[in-house]
Amino acid sequence: MRIEDTDPARHAGIEYPMEVGAPVFAPIKVTEEKDKAVNVARQNAKLEYDRIMEQAEVLMKQAKALQARLDATEMVHSAKFGFNPIHGKIYHLYYDSRNSVNVLIQNGPSGWSCGIPDGWTYSMAVKKLGDSTWAVIEEESSNALTV
């Protein structure tokens, strides 16, 4: 008598049927199943990774925009101006090379009747926001808004 015939616990671990009436089955190829499981896990992890990277990209854009606002705010606050800026209004920043200082005024580059003063270089259009920071305004939109 063989050990397979007397030990019922061993029957469950054998790769082939032990009895005449046992159902036919094919052994599972463990290596293939592991490969499939790893591939599914990688696909799911890649989707999650891509989603996280998209979120990180949005956060980086927001951080860069905030840094640009802070840089513009520092430039404006270091500039020379003799009026109280109004929230939401667009102003223009020029560099006065004779005095080596930035100047904040209301005239844009096309708003001068006699041209920009000698020694002044146009830097950018800025807008005071509600949180008292300044945002750089694109040239096309600033010309459309000041007209």
Side-chain angles (χ1 to χ4, degrees):
M1 198 178 210
R2 297 188 336 209
I3 193 163
E4 290 93 9
D5 296 334
T6 60
D7 187 9
R10 178 133 167 90
H11 286 230
I14 296 178
E15 297 179 0
Y16 48 86
M18 284 295 297
E19 300 170 1
V20 174
V24 179
F25 65 92
I28 297 172
K29 295 181 181 178
V30 176
T31 308
E32 288 180 16
E33 291 300 316
K34 285 182 181 178
D35 288 345
K36 287 179 187 175
V38 167
N39 286 337
V40 168
R42 282 185 180 150
Q43 287 174 347
N44 288 333
K46 174 132 177 52
L47 290 174
E48 186 69 14
Y49 178 82
D50 290 344
R51 188 181 64 79
I52 290 170
M53 291 309 290
E54 285 177 12
Q55 291 173 351
E57 221 173 277
V58 168
L59 291 174
M60 287 304 296
K61 285 180 185 176
Q62 290 174 344
K64 286 179 183 176
L66 181 59
Q67 185 61 48
R69 279 180 31 207
L70 290 174
D71 292 343
T73 300
E74 288 180 16
M75 284 184 72
V76 169
H77 284 286
S78 68
K80 182 178 155 188
F81 55 93
F83 57 92
N84 188 15
I86 299 171
H87 293 286
K89 188 162 171 39
I90 295 175
Y91 298 94
H92 302 275
L93 203 61
Y94 292 86
Y95 180 72
D96 182 0
S97 59
R98 284 182 282 157
N99 297 323
S100 299
V101 68
N102 286 320
V103 180
L104 183 71
I105 60 173
Q106 296 178 2
N107 284 353
S110 60
W112 297 88
S113 59
C114 300
I116 298 174
D118 290 335
W120 282 29
T121 307
Y122 181 74
S123 297
M124 66 184 81
V126 292
K127 180 179 184 179
K128 188 171 184 181
L129 302 177
D131 61 354
S132 294
T133 60
W134 291 79
V136 176
I137 305 298
E138 297 299 321
E139 296 302 317
E140 297 81 31
S141 62
S142 68
N143 289 338
L145 293 173
T146 56
V147 174

